[in-house]
Amino acid sequence: MNYKLSRRQFGQLALAGTVLSGLSYLTKKALAETPSLNIVGIGSSPMVTTDQTAITEVNTTELVENTALNSVSTDIKPVGLVLQSLVTGKAQVLTDKSTPLLEPNEILSGFTSLSDGTLVVAITPVAITRREATPTRITFLGTPVKTLIVSGLKPNQQLGSLLGTNDGRLIGLVGKKNGTPPVRLVDINLQTGEISSISKVKFLNDERVSNLAECPDGILYTSVVGAYGDTTLVQLDSNQKKPIRLGQLKVNGQAWNNGLQSLVCSATGQLLAFGAMRYETPNAVYIVDKNSGNMTRLQDFDTTQITRARA
């Protein structure tokens, strides 16, 4: 069936397209002019098997097109990690010839940057057989890539929500692989991969806790997720031990209903949430009001987790 547009209708559509393009330009321009929002995302992608280590810079369109072209005649395995900039949209594809960064039966359970700028990921195996699974590991995405096996976890536990602290430590959250509590805050030895509990902060045994963020003033934040995905912003105060609930997260007056993928604090102390409401795609970055829990959508970002890029 053919449709015809009147000159007026065509003009309205053209104007709408111009407005949207202008808004997109202004958003990217504002992000580019705000160094404190230097955010990088990470996700996995089917990668061509090669015999060399590769860290290639592409844009997301090129990545999709090249993957599609190579899928017919090349051996492809989901072992690649893709780093993407929120500001520029540019992506870096990472592979390692000696050790796959991500196997088909593994998940990316944590992502952060250390105080020196090194990006770190936590990779957790998903048990699909009764055989003993590959141990959880943390991988430092430097040159060269460095990997440590995490020790101190039970077989049913998962390390996630990594956070590189202002004072140079690496901490995270340990809970069950199925996402159920209890959850504990742990310190991760950067030399050995051994974890140890941080006893200064205690969570309730029935709370689902995820995501960690630290602002420049040293205050830690996390999120508590209810049975229906309702998400509450929480401040962690080592002096009080018990977490301080700040407010339920919401967008345009509607309660957030799907937990978060990441929680990040910018260099200027602005708290940023990352995720999507239930049944919605893609994920997006939101500015969070720490006092009210109100979230303002900043920009869509089609990736898995985010962190702040440091110099």
Side-chain angles (χ1 to χ4, degrees):
M1 182 179 293
N2 295 322
Y3 291 92
K4 293 184 178 180
L5 295 175
S6 68
R7 181 175 296 178
R8 180 183 179 186
Q9 289 172 321
F10 179 82
Q12 290 173 334
L13 288 174
L15 177 60
T18 302
V19 170
L20 288 174
S21 298
L23 289 175
S24 176
Y25 168 76
L26 289 174
T27 299
K28 289 185 177 181
K29 185 173 185 292
L31 286 169
E33 294 175 350
T34 311
S36 64
L37 295 182
N38 191 9
I39 300 299
V40 62
I42 194 167
S44 59
S45 173
M47 294 300 305
V48 178
T49 301
T50 65
D51 59 357
Q52 294 181 345
T53 299
I55 302 179
T56 309
E57 183 173 299
V58 297
N59 63 41
T60 51
T61 302
E62 291 171 345
L63 178 63
V64 173
E65 290 176 348
N66 290 341
T67 301
L69 290 172
N70 289 325
S71 61
V72 176
S73 59
T74 311
D75 181 23
I76 295 179
K77 296 181 180 180
V79 298
L81 293 179
V82 181
L83 298 176
Q84 184 177 350
S85 167
L86 175 67
V87 176
T88 66
K90 289 292 185 179
Q92 285 184 309
V93 183
L94 284 73
T95 61
D96 191 325
K97 65 178 181 180
S98 58
T99 304
L101 297 180
L102 191 66
E103 293 279 12
N105 64 335
E106 296 176 329
I107 62 170
L108 184 68
S109 59
F111 179 49
T112 191
S113 60
L114 299 179
S115 57
D116 65 359
T118 302
L119 297 174
V120 185
V121 294
I123 297 173
T124 300
V126 179
I128 55 176
T129 67
R130 293 186 178 181
R131 293 183 300 173
E132 185 177 353
T134 305
T136 298
R137 61 188 184 274
I138 51 175
T139 297
F140 302 83
L141 302 178
T143 305
V145 172
K146 173 186 174 183
T147 295
L148 292 176
I149 300 300
V150 176
S151 60
L153 290 175
K154 295 180 180 179
N156 67 335
Q157 289 183 330
Q158 172 176 299
L159 171 65
S161 303
L162 295 183
L163 173 64
T165 64
N166 297 337
D167 60 3
R169 294 179 299 138
L170 179 63
I171 64 176
L173 295 175
V174 169
K176 294 182 179 179
K177 286 185 177 180
N178 61 8
T180 59
V183 176
R184 60 190 172 109
L185 185 65
V186 299
D187 204 323
I188 306 155
N189 189 304
L190 290 170
Q191 304 302 320
T192 65
E194 183 179 3
I195 64 172
S196 56
S197 294
I198 300 175
S199 58
K200 292 182 179 179
V201 177
K202 297 289 187 182
F203 300 111
L204 297 180
N205 288 334
D206 59 350
E207 287 186 329
R208 293 169 55 203
V209 183
S210 62
N211 306 299
L212 289 170
E214 183 184 30
C215 287
D217 58 8
I219 296 178
L220 291 173
Y221 296 89
T222 188
S223 59
V224 174
V225 184
Y228 299 99
D230 49 296
T231 309
T232 301
L233 182 64
V234 172
Q235 178 181 320
L236 302 180
D237 189 337
S238 59
N239 295 322
Q240 297 192 25
K241 288 192 177 181
K242 186 177 180 180
I244 304 170
R245 293 173 181 267
L246 300 180
Q248 186 171 359
L249 297 182
K250 47 190 176 292
V251 178
N252 298 325
Q254 181 181 358
W256 188 264
N257 62 7
N258 200 30
L260 296 174
Q261 295 294 104
S262 301
L263 193 63
V264 174
C265 199
S266 74
T268 58
Q270 177 63 65
L271 202 60
L272 303 171
F274 177 67
M277 293 279 272
R278 191 174 300 169
Y279 309 123
E280 292 184 6
T281 56
N283 291 323
V285 178
Y286 294 81
I287 296 174
V288 181
D289 185 309
K290 300 173 187 175
N291 298 316
S292 66
N294 289 327
M295 299 167 61
T296 303
R297 195 185 197 98
L298 180 62
Q299 182 175 319
D300 289 350
F301 198 26
D302 193 6
T303 188
T304 304
Q305 295 188 40
I306 66 170
T307 190
R308 176 164 66 94
R310 310 190 200 192

